[in-house]
Amino acid sequence: KTITALSPMYGSRFGYALSNGTVGVYDKTARYWRIKSKNHAMSIHAFDLNSDGVCELITGWSNGKVDARSDRTGEVIFKDNFASSIAGVVEGDYRMDGSTQLICCSVDGEVRGYLPGGEEMKGNLMDTSAEQDLIRELSQKKQNLLLELRNYEENAKAELNTHLKEADGQRGVIPANTQLQTSLSVNLGSNSQSAHVELCISTTNDTIIRAVLIFAEGIFEGESHVVHPSLQNLSGCVRVPLTPPKDVPVDLHIKAFVGYRNSTQFHVFELTRQLPRFSMYALSSPDSATEPLSFVNCATNERPQRVVMWLNQSFLLPEDAEFQSAPFQVCFTSLRNAGQLCIKIKPGGEISVNTDDIDLAGDIIQSMASFLAIEDLQVEADFPAYFEELRKVLVKVDEHHAVNQRLTADMAEHSNLIRGMLVQAEDARLLGDMKNMKTRYIELYDLNRDLINQYKIRCNNHTELLNNLKAVNQAIQRAGRLRVGKPKTQVISACRDAIRSNNFNMLFRIMRVGTASS
């Protein structure tokens, strides 16, 4: 989802808001909390509203609500409501009395200021109406829990007082040893379905799965997916196709409703399963795979068994997959574009990654280094097709620079002509020479039109130049991701120096071997 707002809290802690109504707090890469609303966060701001020495995250919502949440837990410590959507949340000395207030403004122009709470309030900023809302919400939760408890009691009585399995099934009573099992596998697809990762959810007895809810970030639209088989297709096994768009590990939070076919109440099983980072790659035979020309070679001094552990954690390998002692080679086929990936492990700890996708090579190196706890890793890399495309981009950058210089010179020349013609036209007007004046102004009009056309050409040239410069910067970052630690920083810095000195041969040498020296 798109990030719509960021707000520094203190230290490395910051608040964020997403376009789907999510608001939360991170400290570096650790997420403290998040909440998701059907409304949109229009503005967020860090402000110590309860005077406890720690900033709260203040959020202004599209429905006019303003709330302050604890930076650690996300608990609401204060809220207020406006008649219309919030336009902005800031802080300042609004009353000019030397004290800073939290200032909220709605789209209708309504402005409210909030002074930080004093010590006598002891951090309790909830007004009476807000407290009533909280009590009402807790009462509703209490009623739901009492209803759930009553259902459990009825199920227990039914289990004690009846021997009819049908009656038990209707009330949702299932065997005490019922378990929910999950498995992940690679499905190569068919004519009607593309290749995907298959999640299989099954029970351990004759119970059926009535519905499955899966929550996962970045896989499903809206972060959730519901499978609700029809009555004719009910069984104890549900298969869910997954197609992760990126190579990142994903936690699958699964909830399944389990019972019998004639059940009116169901037991809810909850479990979490992690999707490996490179789950969209199917194991293939090294003999049948065409080895890519591009490669990354590195020396790790790691035992091959540790690399095998990383392979098992990062890929979906068949249960019967076995690896011989080094040297050995393992090959994969991408389910997204059928691209080939080969990883070779040699006895001395040397590892070779063959793939034409430089982004995938970077992900492999970063994942492997993280698992093996490698702090610094230098590599030798060569991606002929990618480097050739980059060379073309660099040529275009030079061309755009040349065009820009020529257009700038032409515009300066036209500007001088315009100044001269304007003086001549005004002189003719003062002398009453209307014919000459008209001729000069017609020439001025034509020059002005040419200048506008040149400006449009210059704008288009500038846009293309920026796009190409962005592509060059991305290429440098990709070259950096092939290394770890200090070598990564050194490669990025050396590549930028080569760009500044316009030494393209040096740039490609650095990308290949990681250093400018021969």
Side-chain angles (χ1 to χ4, degrees):
K1 301 299 178 181
T2 305
I3 298 172
T4 56
L6 291 172
S7 176
M9 307 286 285
Y10 61 90
S12 57
R13 195 169 303 175
F14 63 93
Y16 71 97
L18 305 181
S19 59
N20 65 348
T22 298
V23 170
V25 168
Y26 268 87
D27 193 333
K28 294 183 179 177
T29 59
R31 185 175 66 206
Y32 277 0
W33 59 267
R34 67 166 181 175
I35 58 104
K36 187 174 180 181
S37 171
K38 62 182 179 181
N39 302 299
H40 298 289
M42 309 305 291
S43 179
I44 60 173
H45 188 74
F47 188 79
D48 184 10
L49 195 58
N50 59 0
S51 300
D52 63 349
V54 179
C55 285
E56 288 75 47
L57 185 64
I58 318 297
T59 309
W61 297 91
S62 57
N63 64 345
K65 184 176 75 172
V66 175
D67 59 35
R69 294 178 179 271
S70 164
D71 69 310
R72 290 287 301 181
T73 64
E75 176 187 0
V76 177
I77 66 165
F78 172 78
K79 62 181 177 180
D80 197 2
N81 287 284
F82 284 66
S84 57
S85 173
I86 301 300
V89 178
V90 295
E91 64 178 80
D93 186 4
Y94 187 68
R95 301 190 302 182
M96 305 294 288
D97 60 358
S99 60
T100 302
Q101 298 94 36
L102 177 70
I103 305 169
C104 300
C105 180
S106 74
V107 295
D108 289 344
E110 182 181 2
V111 179
R112 296 181 191 174
Y114 304 90
L115 281 169
E119 293 184 2
E120 68 280 358
M121 301 189 73
K122 297 180 179 178
N124 183 17
L125 300 176
M126 301 290 281
D127 58 21
T128 306
S129 61
E131 288 180 352
Q132 292 297 327
D133 290 342
L134 185 57
I135 291 172
R136 194 178 302 112
E137 183 181 347
L138 292 174
S139 296
Q140 184 63 45
K141 287 184 178 179
K142 178 183 176 182
Q143 292 298 323
N144 292 338
L145 289 172
L146 287 173
L147 180 61
E148 187 175 347
L149 179 61
R150 194 177 304 119
N151 287 335
Y152 279 122
E153 289 173 348
E154 288 180 2
N155 287 343
K157 289 178 182 177
E159 192 171 7
L160 291 172
N161 299 331
T162 181
H163 300 287
L164 297 175
K165 186 177 179 180
E166 290 78 9
D168 287 345
Q170 288 178 351
R171 286 181 167 85
V173 177
I174 61 176
N177 63 350
T178 303
Q179 294 181 351
L180 197 67
Q181 297 179 335
T182 62
S183 65
L184 289 166
S185 60
V186 175
N187 189 316
L188 298 179
S190 60
N191 293 333
S192 59
Q193 191 174 29
S194 58
H196 59 271
V197 177
E198 188 172 82
L199 170 66
C200 179
I201 306 167
S202 58
T203 60
T204 55
N205 49 35
D206 59 346
T207 54
I208 58 98
I209 300 175
R210 189 67 187 88
V212 175
L213 290 81
I214 304 175
F215 301 90
E217 292 187 16
I219 295 183
F220 309 115
E221 188 175 352
E223 298 186 358
S224 62
H225 181 66
V226 179
V227 180
H228 202 285
S230 62
L231 292 174
Q232 296 80 15
N233 297 323
L234 291 177
S235 69
C237 179
V238 172
R239 300 181 184 275
V240 183
L242 306 174
T243 310
K246 297 180 180 179
D247 293 330
V248 293
V250 179
D251 286 330
L252 304 173
H253 302 280
I254 303 166
K255 294 184 179 182
F257 292 11
V258 177
Y260 286 102
R261 287 183 178 273
N262 56 345
S263 296
T264 56
Q265 298 174 6
F266 295 89
H267 283 258
V268 179
F269 285 79
E270 297 187 31
L271 52 90
T272 300
R273 182 73 187 261
Q274 188 178 67
L275 196 63
R277 180 169 187 173
F278 303 105
S279 57
M280 288 291 285
Y281 295 85
L283 188 66
S284 58
S285 170
D287 300 330
S288 62
T290 303
E291 186 174 306
L293 297 176
S294 304
F295 65 86
V296 178
N297 292 335
C298 60
T300 63
N301 297 322
E302 285 287 344
R303 291 179 290 112
Q305 291 83 354
R306 294 256 295 156
V307 181
V308 171
M309 290 171 61
W310 167 76
L311 285 170
N312 280 300
Q313 185 194 71
S314 303
F315 292 85
L316 282 178
L317 300 175
E319 294 182 359
D320 57 352
E322 294 183 0
F323 299 100
Q324 302 172 351
S325 58
F328 66 87
Q329 177 177 339
V330 56
C331 295
F332 299 91
T333 302
S334 171
L335 302 185
R336 297 188 183 98
N337 54 19
Q340 298 298 314
L341 166 66
C342 295
I343 302 174
K344 302 174 186 175
I345 292 89
K346 299 180 181 178
E350 186 178 342
I351 298 173
S352 179
V353 179
N354 289 70
T355 175
D356 291 325
D357 188 343
I358 191 171
D359 289 317
L360 173 58
D363 289 340
I364 292 286
I365 292 295
Q366 295 299 319
S367 174
M368 190 185 305
S370 176
F371 182 85
L372 300 175
I374 299 174
E375 295 182 358
D376 296 313
L377 181 65
Q378 183 61 279
V379 307
E380 179 186 354
D382 190 18
F383 291 83
Y386 182 76
F387 289 163
E388 185 60 32
E389 287 297 319
L390 178 59
R391 192 180 295 276
K392 293 178 182 177
V393 171
L394 290 169
V395 171
K396 288 181 181 178
V397 168
D398 276 352
E399 291 175 353
H400 289 312
H401 276 305
V403 169
N404 186 59
Q405 291 175 355
R406 187 173 69 252
L407 288 174
T408 302
D410 289 346
M411 288 181 70
E413 183 180 348
H414 278 71
S415 297
N416 292 330
L417 287 174
I418 285 174
R419 281 194 292 269
M421 285 185 180
L422 188 59
V423 170
Q424 293 175 18
E426 284 301 295
D427 286 347
R429 182 182 66 81
L430 292 173
L431 294 172
D433 187 356
M434 295 298 116
K435 182 179 178 181
N436 242 344
M437 182 194 76
K438 185 176 180 181
T439 302
R440 295 290 173 263
Y441 274 119
I442 290 173
E443 291 175 351
L444 274 173
Y445 176 81
D446 293 337
L447 271 175
N448 184 63
R449 184 183 57 203
D450 291 343
L451 270 176
I452 291 173
N453 290 334
Q454 284 187 4
Y455 177 75
K456 290 178 180 178
I457 295 172
R458 191 180 181 189
C459 283
N460 293 333
N461 181 73
H462 183 68
T463 301
E464 292 179 11
L465 175 61
L466 288 180
N467 290 335
N468 287 322
L469 288 175
K470 183 179 178 181
V472 172
N473 184 61
Q474 288 175 344
I476 294 173
Q477 294 297 330
R478 288 185 174 108
R481 274 186 60 80
L482 297 175
R483 285 90 180 171
V484 178
K486 290 181 181 178
K488 175 180 179 179
T489 307
Q490 291 168 356
V491 162
I492 292 175
S493 177
C495 284
R496 288 176 176 165
D497 290 341
I499 290 290
R500 278 192 288 268
S501 62
N502 212 30
N503 192 336
F504 296 158
N505 291 329
M506 184 69 71
L507 172 68
F508 289 114
R509 174 172 177 77
I510 294 167
M511 286 184 168
R512 287 189 178 96
V513 300
T515 178
S517 59
S518 55

